[in-house]
């Protein structure tokens, strides 16, 4: 999924055990159980809108479903829920923006907040739906690459620790920001996927070569979704396995194939 998108979670309990399933990165808002919407008993209608330009919204009875840290998968029952992630409240810029960058136009994109605080007007930009309050905020004290300095964190040396199979190589989102964050001088993006940011074969990077799980043209954030009954996240006692998966949140540089 991309930042700002809604993901429908539909779970059906077909077995005989209850599974306390946990979705990292955000809670899940329960919409319905066994196909029946959970609605408020109030007679006052509520208007729901995304805040996007041209969205008139919808008016009806208010939703009353719980916001759940663990979603309960119960034998013989089902639920529908909405998972939503925007990066709001991180207190740093996930795209590594900083003003005045002339080497890479994607490093100095603007962020204009809508009434809800999101960059919803820039529908064609890779930072569409960015939380503007964190725009240009640094996370690193003294970064190695072309990202803002003066933040609270000093990252570990990439030469002395092992990357997990889903780690993008930096705390930043998307191939452009990951590339800028991990090299001192790179005029363009060697993957050549963003307009105005041409390929440059001279760029080098210490980013991991995880070509299948989180490849160089994706570099998303991976959040584990798994059963909180820990013995269910292994297969034949091998971790990871069982009831465990990863939700990748991607920059809009990466096109998600929804035809599959």
């Amino acid at each position: 999924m991309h930042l700002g998108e809604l993901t429908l979670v539909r779970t059906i309990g077909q077995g005989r055990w209850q599974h306390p399933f946990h979705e990292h990165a955000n809670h899940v808002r329960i919409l319905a159980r066994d196909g029946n919407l959970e609605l408020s008993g109030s007679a006052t209608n509520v208007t729901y809108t995304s805040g996007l330009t041209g969205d008139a919204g919808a008016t009806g009875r208010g939703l009353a479903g719980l916001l759940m840290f663990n979603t309960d998968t119960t034998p013989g029952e089902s639920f529908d829920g909405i998972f939503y992630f925007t990066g709001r409240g991180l207190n740093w810029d996930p795209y590594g923006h900083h003003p005045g960058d002339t080497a890479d136009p994607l490093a100095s994109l603007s962020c204009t907040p809508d009434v809800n605080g999101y960059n919803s007007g820039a529908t064609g930009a890779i930072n569409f739906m960015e939380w503007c309050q964190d725009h240009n905020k640094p996370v690193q004290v003294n970064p190695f690459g072309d990202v803002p300095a003066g933040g609270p964190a000093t990252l570990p040396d990439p030469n002395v620790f092992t990357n997990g199979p889903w780690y993008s190589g930096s705390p930043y989102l998307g191939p452009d920001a990951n590339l800028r964050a991990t090299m001192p001088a790179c005029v363009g993006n060697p993957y050549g996927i963003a307009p105005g940011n041409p390929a440059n074969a001279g760029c080098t990077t210490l980013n991991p070569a995880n070509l299948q799980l989180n490849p160089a043209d994706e570099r998303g954030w991976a959040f584990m979704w798994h059963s909180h009954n820990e013995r269910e996240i292994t297969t034949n006692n091998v971790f990871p396995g069982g009831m465990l998966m990863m939700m990748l949140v991607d920059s809009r540089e990466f096109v998600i194939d929804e035809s599959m």
Side-chain angles (χ1 to χ4, degrees):
M1 66 178 294
H2 295 128
L3 259 73
E5 292 181 340
L6 302 177
T7 298
L8 175 64
V9 178
R10 174 167 291 168
T11 301
I12 301 173
Q14 293 183 304
R16 298 187 178 185
W17 289 49
Q18 188 170 44
H19 308 287
F21 204 76
H22 178 54
E23 296 83 357
H24 280 243
N26 205 353
H27 300 336
V28 171
R29 173 73 68 182
I30 302 299
L31 298 179
R33 291 192 180 278
D34 298 330
N36 300 302
L37 284 174
E38 296 199 348
L39 299 174
S40 169
S42 172
T44 304
N45 285 340
V46 177
T47 299
Y48 294 95
T49 176
S50 65
L52 301 179
T53 303
D55 181 7
T59 300
R61 288 176 59 190
L63 297 173
L66 294 174
L67 193 62
M68 300 193 73
F69 178 79
N70 276 353
T71 52
D72 47 351
T73 305
T74 304
E77 298 181 6
S78 68
F79 74 83
D80 293 272
I82 285 291
F83 175 83
Y84 183 59
F85 184 81
T86 64
R88 175 176 176 171
L90 288 174
N91 204 32
W92 54 276
D93 190 328
Y95 300 95
H97 293 124
H98 57 113
D101 190 311
T102 58
D104 184 347
L106 297 182
S108 55
L109 296 176
S110 62
C111 190
T112 304
D114 61 16
V115 294
N116 296 315
Y118 296 101
N119 188 36
S120 65
T123 55
I126 66 170
N127 67 329
F128 173 62
M129 294 303 291
E130 179 186 2
W131 174 243
C132 292
Q133 186 170 312
D134 289 343
H135 187 65
N136 290 332
K137 282 187 179 180
V139 64
Q140 293 179 257
V141 175
N142 187 22
F144 176 71
D146 183 17
V147 290
T154 298
L155 302 182
D157 186 336
N159 291 307
V160 297
F161 75 106
T162 301
N163 292 316
W166 287 277
Y167 182 54
S168 67
S170 86
Y172 300 96
L173 182 68
D176 179 77
N178 266 270
L179 192 69
R180 285 188 284 106
T182 53
M183 58 193 353
C186 181
V187 174
N189 184 342
Y191 311 116
I193 60 174
N197 195 21
N200 183 343
C203 294
T204 58
T205 177
L206 293 176
N207 280 351
N210 44 359
L211 300 181
Q212 294 182 333
L213 299 179
N214 195 358
D217 64 343
E218 184 171 9
R219 298 304 187 206
W221 285 345
F223 296 106
M224 184 187 294
W225 288 18
H226 64 99
S227 172
H228 258 179
N229 185 352
E230 304 297 338
R231 65 192 183 90
E232 294 183 336
I233 60 175
T234 63
T235 300
N236 295 326
N237 295 321
V238 176
F239 175 86
M243 295 184 67
L244 183 151
M245 64 189 76
M246 290 288 182
M247 165 60 85
L248 254 68
V249 177
D250 292 320
S251 160
R252 282 176 167 76
E253 297 159 275
F254 183 76
V255 178
I256 299 174
D257 184 0
E258 298 185 7
S259 64
M260 302 175 67

